[in-house]
Each structure stands twice: as structure tokens, then as C-alpha cells.
């Protein structure tokens, strides 16, 4: 058996440490869509908004409450707080997942559609609002329906503080494309998981605002059943 000299032993030790360090550096972080499961977040969203050369990073993480509702057409969730473009004051950030043709509580319909596995929906382009609809956050005129495999998405800042995106707010970005996956509805723990990767455009509440952006990540709201709407937390 060969005998290691002090210099050989030192070389072997240094090589081992370097290999270990390289191995640690090669470990990749989980994808943003997986962070709710891997890190236990209620919501984890990252992305950006670009407006005439100015970039606003979107970094939203919460392990606390994600209040909202699911009603006949939408799932609306407060995913955290963040300062909107051009401001230093944090405001509630809302995400809307919208079906223009639904005639039932949207989360109840999704629960039925995910019995056999995750439901992946294509996000339609809702950036081109119809004439006379500028300055409004309504999505009902767009052709998005989960029964057709499509969905509308809206991301915005609730400056009024009423847990909705309305015409009195300042920033509501309609998505232009991407995908939304709903892993399923856990009827025992009463929660559901949403993963999304969407492109953003058109702040519909800004006059001639042609900003664009993107957001990706996940959210895992809890729910309570109801008749016309289901509260989320």
C-alpha cells in the first residue's frame, strides 16, 4: 500500500475541497413554479415590467395569507405586496385568473377538471382592449374558457385597497400569452396549487401605456366552499 507524503496528502485534500465546492456551485435553484412546494411558500412570483426603458423587478414572496375569492368567472388572489412602477410605497398585488364563459364557481369547475391530473391552460392575448373599453379592467369580452383549454390572466396593484382590480386603481396588466397549470384541488387540506409562466402587456389603466413584462411562479391558496363564491386565504 503506497504511503502518502505530507505534500501528496495536502494536494489530495485541496483537490477534494475544490471538487466539493464545484459540486455545491453546480446545484441549481428550483424553478420558480416549484418554490411553493420546495420551500413552503403560499406564493412565489418573480418577473419584471418594462416601461419605456425603465425596468421594475417583480419579486413577491409570502408564507402568510393569500386572501381572495373564486366566483362564477374568476379566481382572484392577493399574492403579496410590492411597490408599483415609479413608486416607493408598497401596495397589495393581485392576480386574476378569468374564464369569460363560466357559469359555475370557477374553482369548483376546476376541481372537476383536475380529478384525473393537472390542468394546463393556454393564456390568450387580452392586451388589445376594444374601443371604448380603455381604462377598464373588465375581461368578459375576451374569448377565454377553461372548457376550451384557455384562460385570461390579469396582474395588478390594488392601490385603492379593496382587494379587487377596478377602474380606480392605477396598474392592471393584461397577459398576452403563456400558460397556467392547476395541479389539482386538495379537498382534504382545502388548498389548490397554481403554477404560471405568462407574458404581460398593456397596463389597461394607463393612457397609451405600452409597457410589457413577464411573471412566473406559483401560489397555493386555501379555500372554503360556498354557494356563489368561495373565500380564499
Amino acid at each position: 500500500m503506497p504511503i502518502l507524503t505530507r505534500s501528496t496528502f495536502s494536494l489530495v485534500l485541496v483537490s477534494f475541497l475544490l471538487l466539493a465546492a464545484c459540486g455545491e456551485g453546480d446545484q441549481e435553484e428550483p424553478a420558480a413554479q416549484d418554490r411553493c412546494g420546495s420551500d413552503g411558500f403560499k406564493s412565489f412570483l418573480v418577473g419584471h415590467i418594462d416601461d419605456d426603458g425603465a425596468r421594475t423587478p417583480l419579486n413577491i414572496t409570502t408564507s402568510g395569507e393569500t386572501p381572495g375569492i373564486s366566483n362564477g368567472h374568476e379566481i382572484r388572489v392577493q399574492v403579496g405586496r410590492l411597490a408599483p412602477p415609479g413608486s416607493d410605497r408598497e401596495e397589495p398585488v393581485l392576480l386574476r385568473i378569468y374564464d369569460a364563459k363560466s357559469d359555475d364557481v370557477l374553482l369548483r369547475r376546476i376541481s372537476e377538471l383536475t380529478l384525473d391530473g393537472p390542468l394546463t391552460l393556454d393564456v390568450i392575448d387580452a392586451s388589445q382592449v376594444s374601443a371604448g373599453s380603455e381604462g377598464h379592467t373588465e375581461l368578459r369580452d375576451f374569448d377565454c374558457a377553461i372548457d376550451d383549454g384557455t384562460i385570461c390572466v390579469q396582474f395588478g396593484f390594488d392601490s385603492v385597497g379593496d382587494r379587487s382590480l377596478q377602474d380606480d386603481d392605477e396598474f392592471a396588466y393584461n397577459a398576452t400569452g403563456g400558460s397556467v397549470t392547476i395541479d389539482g384541488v386538495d379537498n382534504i387540506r382545502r388548498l389548490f396549487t397554481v403554477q404560471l409562466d405568462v407574458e404581460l402587456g398593456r397596463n389597461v389603466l394607463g393612457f397609451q401605456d405600452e409597457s410589457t413584462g413577464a411573471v412566473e411562479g406559483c401560489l397555493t391558496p386555501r379555500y372554503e366552499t360556498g354557494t356563489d363564491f368561495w373565500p380564499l386565504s
Side-chain angles (χ1 to χ4, degrees):
M1 180 176 179
I3 299 175
L4 292 178
T5 64
R6 177 176 297 179
S7 59
T8 303
F9 176 78
S10 298
L11 180 60
V12 171
L13 179 61
V14 169
S15 300
F16 174 78
L17 292 174
L18 286 173
L19 287 172
C22 290
E24 291 177 359
D26 290 341
Q27 293 179 355
E28 296 183 358
E29 285 190 352
Q33 291 86 350
D34 298 329
R35 294 293 295 272
C36 293
S38 65
D39 295 11
F41 293 122
K42 288 291 291 297
S43 68
F44 183 93
L45 297 172
V46 294
H48 63 273
I49 295 171
D50 292 332
D51 184 12
D52 195 22
R55 170 162 289 194
T56 300
L58 302 175
N59 295 289
I60 306 162
T61 304
T62 182
S63 298
E65 293 296 295
T66 48
I69 65 165
S70 176
N71 58 25
H73 288 287
E74 70 177 320
I75 295 171
R76 184 170 72 243
V77 185
Q78 181 178 317
V79 294
R81 298 181 65 88
L82 190 71
S87 174
D88 295 326
R89 183 174 65 89
E90 288 190 344
E91 296 178 358
V93 178
L94 299 185
L95 181 73
R96 295 178 70 198
I97 300 171
Y98 191 91
D99 180 332
K101 299 179 180 179
S102 173
D103 57 3
D104 192 3
V105 173
L106 188 57
L107 188 53
R108 179 160 47 212
R109 180 64 181 135
I110 287 172
S111 178
E112 297 169 353
L113 292 173
T114 54
L115 288 175
D116 296 328
L119 174 66
T120 297
L121 304 166
D122 293 326
V123 176
I124 73 160
D125 185 351
S127 62
Q128 300 303 316
V129 296
S130 58
S133 296
E134 296 85 353
H136 299 287
T137 58
E138 186 55 67
L139 293 168
R140 63 185 173 184
D141 292 334
F142 293 99
D143 190 20
C144 46
I146 60 173
D147 285 339
D148 298 333
T150 61
I151 201 74
C152 290
V153 174
Q154 190 176 77
F155 175 94
F157 295 83
D158 177 19
S159 56
V160 174
D162 60 358
R163 292 186 179 174
S164 66
L165 291 177
Q166 301 289 344
D167 303 345
D168 292 333
D169 294 314
E170 298 180 61
F171 298 93
Y173 298 90
N174 286 1
T176 61
S179 64
V180 170
T181 298
I182 299 157
D183 283 345
V185 179
D186 186 332
N187 293 313
I188 302 221
R189 293 188 294 166
R190 294 203 170 184
L191 58 81
F192 63 101
T193 301
V194 177
Q195 297 177 324
L196 68 150
D197 186 356
V198 301
E199 296 84 43
L200 301 174
R202 287 289 301 154
N203 171 19
V204 294
L205 296 179
F207 178 68
Q208 295 184 341
D209 187 342
E210 298 298 330
S211 57
T212 60
V215 63
E216 61 177 325
C218 56
L219 50 147
T220 57
R222 296 189 180 276
Y223 69 89
E224 296 292 334
T225 57
T227 303
D228 296 327
F229 69 92
W230 293 9
L232 308 180
S233 62

